[in-house]
Amino acid sequence: MSVTTTVERKHLTSAFIVNNQVDTAADLVGLDPAMRILLQTPFRTVAVQVPVRMDDGRLEVFRGYRIQHNGARGPCKGGVRFHPEANEEEVLGLATTMTWKTALLDIPFGGAKGGVQVDARNLSYRELEAVTRQFTRRIAIVLGPYRDIPAPDMNTNAQVMAWMLDEYSSKSGYTPGVVTGKPVSLGGSLGREEATGRGVMYVMQDYANDSGIPMKGGRVVIQGFGNVGANLARLLHEVGARVIAVSDVDGGIRNEEGLDIPALFSHAYLQRKPVAEFDKGEAISNTDLWSTPCDWLIPAALGSVISREKNAASVNCKVVVEAANSPVTPVGEKILEDRGITVLPDMLVNAGGVVVSYFEWTQNLQQHPWTLEHVNRGLHSRMQTAYRSVRQLVEARRVSWRTAALAIALERVAEAERLRGGW
Ligand code: NAD
């Protein structure tokens, strides 16, 4: 019996969903029950108070977490998010996914995630710094370049990483390798900002070659126009794809002829204006976005946006590319599968960010910066190797891309556990 099924739950948490997907892959590779428990529970959970003096003089006490899911293959790696829903279950699910993502890409890291339960939109700049520094102090004991290496995630950015680096270094000496996603001037890597979008594009190019779904002239719809969605749109436009609809939190825009992506990138990503206010296209809602006929449908914003209840039966595309984390629910995925729509899974598709985080860490340890060309070549090679290994298993065992990706990752982590622990 799996760990998850023994726990009574009122709703499907992200940890529950990931572990159910792991069960399917564990059946495929014949993983024994004790190893399943080892791989479906976290190595270490740190829960801390984050007391902060607010600008108006009040004391606020936030809750913070750093969860190290598994470190058998190397130091734990994963982002830190500041969000009201960053509770223990949410952070655990994201930490678990990081273990499988780093293993699939064969990066020498384990999986972790951190979070502070706070609405970052309500924090002043000074309060944001205070939350970051206090959280870092409280979890510093489990961090380190050979122990656990945070990165940016929702509502955290390069500046937040700079504060984390400073706080950690004030006790331990200058340690750039303790965080990734830093400003380039503090040891960040060239190419890190666009790395996730670039990795998504590489996977799409390979899948286009294999499936015959066109890339040049192919119709693309993207939800989310932030770091991942906007950079991906720009890169796809450069290789000749036709991006016909995109949206952000305030709504979307559509143009059947193809949107003017360089102009939209400047308007919405660089100038931070709502996508729907872009004048060269028809304004649409986020609900309309999902029914837009296209070849490639790319959720690049939130989790659980494609589901039985919402749209799985009505989306009109040839393939769903999971650029966001967990955008398709398990039942939603089954409906898509039955309709002949392939889902390319998050742990493969959006791994470009953590790959270049690994390159950043390597550069920090070597104290030797890489050129952008070297970073992008390395990213392409790692994404392509992972893609090919998943495709091979999909063809050999007739399983979904997600199950194949998880099976590869599970075997790698289980082997490391066996060799290190002697289990
Ligand atoms: P971001 O904050 O830069 O951008 C998020 C985008 O989603 C914004 O355009 C925002 O307006 C939009 N959005 C938010 N709520 C929405 C809603 N209700 N409807 C439509 N659009 C909405 O975030 P990001 O870094 O681009 O991350 C996007 C997704 O990709 C997340 O799921 C994240 O976990 C995942 N991801 C990001 C990275 C990375 O390197 N940034 C790596 C792996 C996975």
Side-chain angles (χ1 to χ4, degrees):
M1 192 181 333
S2 79
V3 166
T4 49
T5 54
T6 63
V7 181
E8 197 179 290
R9 284 162 199 275
K10 290 200 176 66
H11 60 280
L12 290 181
T13 64
S14 67
F16 180 85
I17 291 173
V18 175
N19 277 342
N20 268 283
Q21 292 163 342
V22 168
D23 274 332
T24 309
D27 290 342
L28 185 74
V29 297
L31 213 61
D32 70 67
M35 186 58 82
R36 287 185 195 216
I37 293 175
L38 203 58
L39 300 187
Q40 289 183 313
T41 50
F43 169 75
R44 179 190 277 147
T45 299
V46 178
V48 295
Q49 295 172 319
V50 184
V52 170
R53 184 69 64 191
M54 307 303 277
D55 289 348
D56 63 5
R58 276 177 308 119
L59 176 68
E60 282 256 17
V61 185
F62 303 106
R63 201 85 189 122
Y65 303 94
R66 184 69 187 175
I67 301 185
Q68 298 169 344
H69 174 257
N70 190 286
R73 301 182 69 258
C76 294
K77 185 87 193 83
V80 168
R81 63 171 55 176
F82 291 168
H83 196 271
E85 282 162 30
N87 55 36
E88 190 173 334
E89 282 293 336
E90 182 69 16
V91 174
L92 173 58
L94 293 161
T96 308
T97 301
M98 286 305 297
T99 299
W100 312 131
K101 203 179 285 189
T102 51
L104 175 63
L105 271 289
D106 211 6
I107 296 168
F109 285 146
K113 204 80 178 187
V116 178
Q117 242 179 324
V118 56
D119 191 346
R121 287 170 311 176
N122 296 336
L123 296 177
S124 68
Y125 190 72
R126 190 206 65 82
E127 290 166 343
L128 179 67
E129 178 177 356
V131 169
T132 305
R133 288 188 182 277
Q134 184 69 287
F135 177 58
T136 308
R137 281 196 288 274
R138 302 269 162 136
I139 63 165
I141 193 162
V142 297
L143 301 183
Y146 291 105
R147 196 177 282 271
D148 185 353
I149 306 142
D153 195 74
M154 274 165 78
N155 300 319
T156 56
N157 56 18
Q159 175 61 71
V160 170
M161 293 306 111
W163 289 324
M164 290 190 82
L165 159 65
D166 183 63
E167 200 58 49
Y168 184 86
S169 297
S170 70
K171 289 269 175 357
S172 305
Y174 184 58
T175 318
V178 73
V179 289
T180 59
K182 301 176 287 290
V184 172
S185 56
L186 282 179
S189 179
L190 295 173
R192 174 64 185 87
E193 188 177 340
E194 64 166 37
T196 304
R198 182 171 281 280
V200 178
M201 179 190 69
Y202 289 149
V203 170
M204 289 172 65
Q205 284 178 322
D206 279 338
Y207 189 71
N209 284 337
D210 289 342
S211 67
I213 298 172
M215 190 72 171
K216 212 170 168 52
R219 291 163 308 156
V220 177
V221 169
I222 305 176
Q223 186 197 40
F225 210 70
N227 175 292
V228 180
N231 281 298
L232 174 62
R234 181 175 58 77
L235 292 163
L236 290 176
H237 178 79
E238 281 170 18
V239 297
R242 190 151 51 105
V243 182
I244 57 171
V246 304
S247 71
D248 63 16
V249 65
D250 299 311
I253 186 101
R254 182 163 56 197
N255 185 337
E256 271 305 314
E257 302 306 310
L259 290 159
D260 180 349
I261 292 298
L264 183 59
F265 187 84
S266 167
H267 165 92
Y269 186 67
L270 300 179
Q271 297 172 51
R272 307 259 165 221
K273 293 185 192 157
V275 160
E277 287 176 12
F278 186 63
D279 53 10
K280 295 186 208 153
E282 159 208 3
I284 55 167
S285 68
N286 259 297
T287 312
D288 296 338
L289 183 92
W290 298 118
S291 52
T292 302
C294 60
D295 301 302
W296 307 87
L297 181 59
I298 311 179
L302 308 169
S304 301
V305 289
I306 300 181
S307 65
R308 174 177 54 192
E309 295 75 20
K310 290 178 190 151
N311 49 15
S314 60
V315 295
N316 194 346
C317 62
K318 295 186 176 136
V319 55
V320 171
V321 182
E322 287 191 328
N325 280 318
S326 307
V328 182
T329 65
V331 179
E333 182 162 9
K334 178 80 183 61
I335 294 170
L336 294 176
E337 249 174 42
D338 291 346
R339 295 181 58 210
I341 299 171
T342 299
V343 178
L344 297 176
D346 50 4
M347 84 195 67
L348 170 66
V349 167
N350 70 28
V354 76
V355 169
V356 177
S357 272
Y358 162 54
F359 295 162
E360 181 175 330
W361 178 77
T362 305
Q363 293 169 68
N364 296 151
L365 298 187
Q366 296 174 335
Q367 299 187 11
H368 181 70
W370 297 5
T371 62
L372 179 60
E373 194 197 4
H374 189 57
V375 169
N376 287 343
R377 215 172 330 113
L379 173 62
H380 196 180
S381 158
R382 294 225 168 224
M383 296 301 294
Q384 199 155 50
T385 302
Y387 172 88
R388 287 178 181 164
S389 63
V390 178
R391 182 192 60 195
Q392 206 172 23
L393 197 58
V394 167
E395 286 167 0
R397 304 295 298 269
R398 304 256 158 239
V399 290
S400 72
W401 284 70
R402 189 183 315 280
T403 297
L406 270 170
I408 292 165
L410 268 178
E411 287 206 303
R412 288 184 181 154
V413 181
E415 186 187 359
E417 281 287 0
R418 276 188 214 105
L419 290 170
R420 286 185 61 169
W423 321 122

